[in-house]
């Protein structure tokens, strides 16, 4: 990867289980037609853009484990009750996984690269890896990378059955959006130095990969509590690096998701990016 561009996180916005007020970004009519997850996706995406100073990204890349789950449940329930009669078209249109990235692109009038990754607990890391590779290769200058999921009562019960040690109310849902760019921003720029996804690594290979990253602090996360644990880990790492800039220079986010493990190394660099 020598001689390639660097990739920086220049802004971000995260929500954890909160409702999002999108009325400053869309009309009241548009807001009424949006489900909860779309509101949070729009809010975090527009907030990340606002803080970055970029009006329209070159690419919109989203990771989501389950997509618009609430709408999907409602649509399937209507089919069970009414067959194929009297189905609501809005529920159908807003029930697919790529609805989130598509609506963001429509609202931003962004006609560039638009991609959705649904790779289980490493969905966000897959989206981040895509953006990182394209920016490093000079294919794009910036990208809006998001991670959005929601939990319904039914999903909480299913996850509790798989993890009985966790109460249904303790499972977290998250929504996050980050602007990545080839040029740094601000007096504490943070570079995305490495992004790695390991599938079914043996313990020695995993330990070797983590050791080779040579980071000041490691954030361990697990998708048992939160489907978007990798994005949550990034939020925590960014906050820590920004607050402890005088004491540490790098952070490694390690996320275990089923048989996969993702490694994301963030590094503080000088304002000039050198």
């Amino acid at each position: 990867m020598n001689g390639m561009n660097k990739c920086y996180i220049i802004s971000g916005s995260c929500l954890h289980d909160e409702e999002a007020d999108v009325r400053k970004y869309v009309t009241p009519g548009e807001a009424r037609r949006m489900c909860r997850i779309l509101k949070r996706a729009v809010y975090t995406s527009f907030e990340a853009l606002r803080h970055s100073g970029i009006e329209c990204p070159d690419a919109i890349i989203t990771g989501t484990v389950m997509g618009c789950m609430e709408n999907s449940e409602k649509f399937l329930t209507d089919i069970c009750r009414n067959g194929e009669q009297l189905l609501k078209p809005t529920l159908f249109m807003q029930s697919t996984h790529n609805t989130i990235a598509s609506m963001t692109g429509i609202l931003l009038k962004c006609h560039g690269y638009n991609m959705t990754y649904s790779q289980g607990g490493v969905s966000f890391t897959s989206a981040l890896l895509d953006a990182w590779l394209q920016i490093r290769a000079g294919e794009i200058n910036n990208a809006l990378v998001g991670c959005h999921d929601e939990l319904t009562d039914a999903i909480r019960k299913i996850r509790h059955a798989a993890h009985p040690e966790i109460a249904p109310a303790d499972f977290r849902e998250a929504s996050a959006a980050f602007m990545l760019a080839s040029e740094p921003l601000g007096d504490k720029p943070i570079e995305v130095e490495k992004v790695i996804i390991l599938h079914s690594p043996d313990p020695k290979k995993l330990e070797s990969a983590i050791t080779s990253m040579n980071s000041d602090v490691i954030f361990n996360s697990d998708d048992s509590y939160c489907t978007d644990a990798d994005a949550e880990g990034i939020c925590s790492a960014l906050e820590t690096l920004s607050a402890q800039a005088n004491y540490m220079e790098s952070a490694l986010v390690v996320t275990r998701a089923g048989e996969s493990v993702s490694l994301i190394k963030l590094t503080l660099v000088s304002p000039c990016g050198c």
Side-chain angles (χ1 to χ4, degrees):
M1 303 291 280
N2 291 335
M4 303 188 78
N5 295 332
K6 292 186 176 182
C7 176
Y8 304 91
I9 295 180
I10 60 174
S11 65
S13 176
C14 302
L15 289 176
H16 302 87
D17 301 291
E18 302 103 318
E19 295 292 333
D21 185 358
V22 297
R23 288 175 295 180
K24 65 179 178 179
Y25 294 123
V26 299
T27 65
E30 289 173 324
R32 282 194 298 272
R33 289 189 292 271
M34 288 182 188
C35 58
R36 186 163 51 95
I37 188 174
L38 288 179
K39 289 180 180 178
R40 294 195 316 187
V42 168
Y43 179 85
T44 53
S45 298
F46 274 74
E47 283 288 292
L49 275 171
R50 182 171 66 86
H51 291 298
S52 73
I54 296 172
E55 291 186 6
C56 184
D58 292 345
I60 296 174
I61 309 175
T62 299
T64 180
V65 179
M66 297 177 293
C68 302
M69 200 63 215
E70 186 176 359
N71 278 355
S72 297
E73 284 186 8
K74 290 179 179 178
F75 183 68
L76 292 173
T77 299
D78 283 352
I79 289 180
C80 291
R81 290 175 177 172
N82 306 315
E84 296 183 4
Q85 305 297 319
L86 304 176
L87 297 178
K88 299 176 182 178
T90 301
L91 289 181
F92 172 74
M93 291 185 292
Q94 295 185 2
S95 65
T96 59
H97 283 64
N98 66 335
T99 295
I100 302 168
S102 330
M103 177 165 286
T104 305
I106 291 171
L107 291 173
L108 291 174
K109 296 179 174 59
C110 176
H111 304 289
Y113 181 81
N114 192 298
M115 178 62 67
T116 297
Y117 286 88
S118 184
Q119 319 303 125
V122 291
S123 296
F124 169 72
T125 305
S126 300
L128 182 70
L129 178 60
D130 186 352
W132 184 76
L133 288 171
Q134 291 202 58
I135 290 174
R136 294 271 289 174
E139 295 293 328
I140 56 176
N141 294 317
N142 57 69
L144 174 63
V145 182
C147 183
H148 312 284
D149 272 295
E150 63 183 346
L151 295 176
T152 63
D153 289 340
I155 294 299
R156 289 181 185 275
K157 291 177 181 177
I158 293 171
R159 290 181 68 82
H160 176 61
H163 302 280
E165 73 280 6
I166 306 174
D170 290 337
F171 291 110
R172 299 188 304 273
E173 56 183 11
S175 186
F178 306 93
M179 276 302 302
L180 274 62
S182 57
E183 297 293 332
L185 179 69
D187 59 352
K188 296 179 182 178
I190 295 177
E191 179 190 355
V192 182
E193 188 174 336
K194 292 182 180 179
V195 183
I196 298 174
I197 299 176
L198 301 173
H199 296 288
S200 303
D202 62 71
K204 288 186 178 180
K205 182 178 180 180
L206 178 57
E207 182 180 356
S208 175
I210 292 175
T211 302
S212 68
M213 294 290 197
N214 192 26
S215 300
D216 294 330
V217 61
I218 296 177
F219 290 85
N220 283 293
S221 55
D222 192 302
D223 73 339
S224 296
Y225 280 90
C226 181
T227 52
D228 301 325
D230 44 4
E232 274 202 331
I234 289 289
C235 292
S236 298
L238 290 174
E239 291 176 3
T240 301
L241 283 176
S242 297
Q244 305 291 332
N246 295 328
Y247 306 99
M248 59 182 65
E249 296 181 351
S250 61
L252 178 63
V253 179
V254 181
T255 305
R256 291 167 174 79
E259 296 182 353
S260 299
V261 179
S262 67
L263 308 175
I264 304 170
K265 184 178 180 181
L266 306 178
T267 306
L268 273 168
V269 296
S270 62
C272 66
C274 52

